[in-house]
């Protein structure tokens, strides 16, 4: 358990540097792909008629709608005031004795990226007649691609009953506490210090493991501990991961903690962020041994007594967040993934180009900014394409089955020997926005292997390759079609 947590903390240190907002993440286009959705508010009933306001969360478009509940079944609603020409909106309601069902369908255009895109999404939701919070309608895009975005799970325990109430007086339990001090003269041996603890937040059950700052490379600086937990195994936490900062003062044996976490157990429309600070003198029980490298110095190996310690908050403050934001997907902080790259800037990156026994092979990957853990895939020349001289089926190499591929699942290769012209007609699928419904793309690339190629024959096998074995190049994908 402890070892596992230590590895997580090291992974956390490596990942933290990769985060940070990107310029386009808050834009209309990114939001339209990530959160095509609406908030319904100010629902008013007057006899059979009703009215409400609607806000599109991707575009900030707002309108007031009125509906005449004359007939049983769905009743259409009409936008009050000037109807939006550029964002046509259809809404209808189905009112029963206890609840109201809302249906929305809207089309809008975003112009904040390389090219303008028109989106159409629809969705529905039902609320009790007495419901007064903003109601969230999560939409499915029907255009430009048909996807239902994957929403996040949210930070650990955000919805667990009592999260908000227990966060009024935050407390933690410290466990698996270990302190090691191995001093040294710094000449014949390097001094070593370590402090590990597992911190469990009593409001949400979140466990973080803390170790000296900077991961394994920085072992020794106990005054800056790196803490991490579940979020680095779950890649679906969303916009608001729990964050923990801690330190240990070896002179006074005092542990300090700052933690930020989230609750929306009372009402998902009213999430809150809690930031809290605590310190605790740690009662240590130590064994000592003379340092094997400097007999004048003493090594200390300590644990806490008792082995688990309660920790109470010294100060905390609570900040409201926008409605339903805890389960919103993370904006593309690492840049465009598979789908947006394929739409706005489709390029393949080629590498490892070779001709073995007259057959072309190379590696390829889509040039997404957010590549996750993907690496280029090898493509080999297979059977000739019937009726197309100079074109062959691709044999796509093994991918190790690691998640969200950024390479063709099917393709044909063209090779004009004398000219060094390489053609790639590819089909690929993006699952980064909606794991269950891949968006299918096709596109055509014509590129030149623009690096000298040298050949050698070893044991009767001829092998030609780019002179620089590290030569990589990118080429645009033309005629890209999606949803095909
Ligand atoms: C919507 O409003 C928010 C908050 O005012 C702002 O940050 C965001 O840029 C707006 N989005 C669009 C697409 O206009
Ligand atoms: C949504 O509206 C578009 C036109 O704006 C229409 O083509 C589409 O059929 C509508 N979808 C639903 C589910 O009503
Ligand atoms: C949305 O509409 C579908 C089809 O009519 C229905 O099955 C589903 O229950 C509705 N969802 C909500 C939340 O009202
Ligand atoms: C906690 O936050 C306070 C105030 O921002 C800061 O002074 C302190 O250094 C922080 N402690 C840790 C352990 O990060
Ligand atoms: C240990 O301490 C003694 C006396 O203070 C000193 O003479 C000796 O050099 C020290 N040895 C080491 C290895 O530091």
């Amino acid at each position: 358990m402890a070892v596992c947590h230590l590895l997580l903390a090291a992974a956390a240190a490596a990942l933290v540097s990769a985060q940070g907002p990107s310029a386009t993440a808050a834009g209309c286009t990114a939001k339209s792909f990530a959160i095509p959705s609406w908030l319904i508010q100010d629902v008013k009933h007057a006899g059979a008629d009703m009215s409400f306001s609607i806000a599109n969360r991707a575009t900030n478009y707002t309108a007031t709608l009125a509906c005449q509940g004359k007939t049983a079944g769905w009743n259409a609603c009409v936008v009050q005031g000037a109807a939006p020409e550029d964002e046509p909106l259809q809404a209808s309601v189905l009112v029963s004795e206890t609840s109201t069902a809302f249906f929305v369908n809207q089309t809008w255009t975003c112009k904040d990226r390389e090219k303008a895109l028109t989106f159409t999404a629809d969705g529905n939701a039902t609320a009790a007649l007495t419901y007064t919070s903003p109601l969230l309608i999560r939409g499915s895009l029907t255009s430009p691609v048909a996807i239902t975005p994957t929403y996040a799970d949210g930070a650990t325990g955000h919805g667990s009953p009592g999260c908000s109430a227990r966060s009024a007086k935050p407390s933690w339990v410290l466990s698996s506490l270990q302190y090691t001090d191995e001093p040294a003269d710094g000449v014949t041996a390097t001094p070593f210090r370590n402090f590990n603890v597992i911190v469990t937040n009593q409001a949400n059950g979140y466990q973080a493991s803390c170790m000296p700052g900077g991961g394994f490379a920085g072992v020794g600086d106990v005054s800056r501990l790196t803490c991490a937990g579940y979020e680095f195994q779950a890649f679906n936490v969303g916009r608001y991961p729990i964050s923990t900062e801690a330190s240990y003062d070896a002179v006074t044996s005092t542990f300090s903690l700052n933690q930020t976490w989230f609750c929306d157990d009372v009402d998902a429309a009213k999430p809150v962020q809690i930031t809290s600070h605590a310190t605790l003198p740690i009662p240590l029980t130590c064994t000592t041994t003379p340092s094997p490298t400097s007999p004048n110095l003493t090594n200390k190996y300590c644990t806490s007594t008792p082995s688990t310690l309660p920790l109470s908050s010294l100060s905390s403050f609570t900040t409201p967040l926008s409605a339903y934001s805890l389960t919103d997907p993370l904006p593309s902080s690492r840049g465009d993934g598979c789908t947006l790259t394929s739409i706005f800037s489709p390029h393949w990156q080629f590498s490892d180009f070779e001709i073995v026994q007259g057959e072309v092979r190379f590696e390829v990957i889509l040039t997404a900014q957010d590549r996750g853990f993907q690496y280029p895939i090898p493509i080999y020349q297979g059977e000739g394409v019937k009726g197309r001289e100079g074109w062959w089926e691709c044999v796509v190499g093994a991918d190790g089955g690691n998640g969200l591929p950024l390479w063709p699942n099917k393709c044909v290769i063209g090779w004009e020997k004398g000219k060094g012209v390489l053609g790639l007609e590819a089909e690929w699928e993006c699952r980064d926005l909606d794991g269950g419904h891949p968006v299918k793309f096709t596109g055509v690339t014509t590129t030149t292997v623009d690096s000298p190629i040298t050949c050698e024959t070893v044991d009767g096998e001829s092998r030609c390759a780019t002179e620089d074995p590290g030569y990589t190049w990118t080429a645009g994908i033309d005629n890209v079609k999606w949803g095909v």
Side-chain angles (χ1 to χ4, degrees):
M1 181 71 171
V3 169
C4 162
H5 274 80
L6 289 183
L7 288 173
L8 283 180
L15 276 177
V16 162
S17 60
Q19 291 183 343
S22 99
T24 53
C28 179
T29 303
K31 282 188 170 171
S32 298
F33 281 110
I35 50 164
S37 52
W38 301 266
L39 289 177
I40 303 281
Q41 291 183 79
D42 308 321
V43 178
K44 294 189 186 80
H45 293 270
D49 297 348
M50 67 178 290
S51 67
F52 58 91
S53 72
I54 189 165
N56 181 316
R57 295 171 82 221
T59 63
N60 288 351
Y61 165 85
T62 58
T64 302
L65 289 130
C67 334
Q68 291 183 316
K70 284 193 185 118
T71 57
W74 289 94
N75 284 285
C77 305
V78 178
V79 174
Q80 303 299 285
E85 272 178 28
D86 53 341
E87 304 191 25
L89 173 68
Q90 296 168 4
S92 48
V93 292
L94 176 64
V95 183
S96 78
E97 280 182 13
T98 54
S99 66
T100 310
F102 296 85
F103 170 78
V104 181
N105 180 6
Q106 193 176 12
T107 297
W108 66 91
T109 300
C110 295
K111 297 175 180 157
D112 62 320
R113 291 295 304 264
E114 293 87 334
K115 59 185 172 201
L117 276 190
T118 296
F119 294 86
T120 301
D122 63 68
N124 63 342
T126 303
L129 286 184
T130 52
Y131 190 73
T132 54
S133 291
L135 174 69
L136 176 66
I137 302 183
R138 287 178 174 175
S140 295
L141 284 177
T142 52
S143 176
V145 292
I147 55 163
T148 301
T150 309
Y151 281 76
D153 298 332
T156 303
H158 67 93
S160 54
C163 181
S164 304
R166 288 190 295 269
S167 296
K169 265 192 134 186
S171 66
W172 298 263
V173 169
L174 306 184
S175 60
S176 300
L177 195 149
Q178 288 177 330
Y179 176 60
T180 301
D181 185 14
E182 295 175 345
D185 58 13
V187 180
T188 55
T190 316
F192 174 80
R193 257 187 198 171
N194 196 14
F195 183 90
N196 303 137
V197 66
I198 292 175
V199 182
T200 308
N201 186 318
Q202 299 301 287
N204 54 11
Y206 176 78
Q207 281 199 328
S209 172
C210 303
M211 62 184 280
F216 289 122
V219 162
D221 184 7
V222 298
S223 70
R224 246 191 59 228
L225 302 173
T226 298
C227 302
Y230 158 89
E231 67 274 18
F232 291 99
Q233 280 176 319
F235 287 92
N236 201 20
V237 170
R239 302 183 58 182
Y240 295 104
I242 293 172
S243 68
T244 312
E245 286 176 353
S247 66
Y248 178 67
D249 183 336
V251 176
T252 59
S253 186
T254 304
F255 176 73
S256 305
L257 177 76
N258 287 342
Q259 192 169 63
T260 298
W261 68 97
F262 308 90
C263 296
D264 63 356
D265 55 311
V266 176
D267 184 348
K270 292 170 184 157
V272 292
Q273 166 177 315
I274 303 105
T275 297
S276 185
H277 174 63
T279 65
L280 186 70
I282 306 288
L284 288 178
T285 303
C286 305
T287 57
T288 59
T289 59
S291 163
T293 55
S294 328
N296 289 6
L297 300 172
T298 305
N299 285 353
K300 277 207 281 187
Y301 303 96
C302 314
T303 57
S304 64
T305 318
S307 61
T308 61
L309 301 169
L311 174 64
S312 301
S313 164
L314 288 177
S315 66
S316 75
F317 56 94
T318 300
T319 320
L321 297 174
S322 50
Y324 300 100
S325 55
L326 294 188
T327 49
D328 281 345
L330 183 72
S332 53
S333 62
R334 284 185 281 257
D336 287 348
C338 186
T339 309
L340 269 64
T341 300
S342 301
I343 291 175
F344 292 119
S345 180
H347 287 76
W348 296 117
Q349 176 194 297
F350 295 89
S351 56
D352 274 343
F353 183 83
E354 287 183 337
I355 305 163
V356 178
Q357 292 287 72
E359 293 192 350
V360 168
R361 60 174 66 170
F362 53 87
E363 295 197 349
V364 75
I365 186 166
L366 190 75
T367 58
Q369 288 164 329
D370 183 1
R371 295 189 194 181
F373 296 108
Q374 303 300 306
Y375 48 81
I377 192 93
I379 303 267
Y380 305 96
Q381 180 179 328
E383 297 285 310
V385 180
K386 279 203 188 85
R388 289 184 73 186
E389 195 170 332
W391 288 85
W392 293 269
E393 301 288 347
C394 294
V395 177
V396 181
D399 68 3
N402 57 354
L404 301 169
L406 290 169
W407 45 71
N409 51 17
K410 206 175 163 207
C411 55
V412 296
I413 319 170
W415 176 239
E416 283 186 62
K417 211 171 163 190
K419 297 182 183 161
V421 175
L422 179 68
L424 183 66
E425 297 180 3
E427 296 176 17
W428 67 101
E429 293 185 351
C430 293
R431 298 167 189 269
D432 55 330
L433 299 177
D434 178 357
H437 303 98
V439 183
K440 295 183 178 180
F441 290 90
T442 63
V444 189
T445 301
T446 306
T447 182
T448 307
V449 184
D450 201 5
S451 171
I453 291 178
T454 54
C455 297
E456 58 179 2
T457 301
V458 178
D459 294 338
E461 185 182 79
S462 92
R463 184 178 169 277
C464 305
T466 52
E467 254 171 31
D468 170 7
Y471 179 69
T472 66
W473 77 99
T474 61
I477 310 174
D478 297 323
N479 211 358
V480 172
K481 296 196 173 68
W482 61 72
V484 287

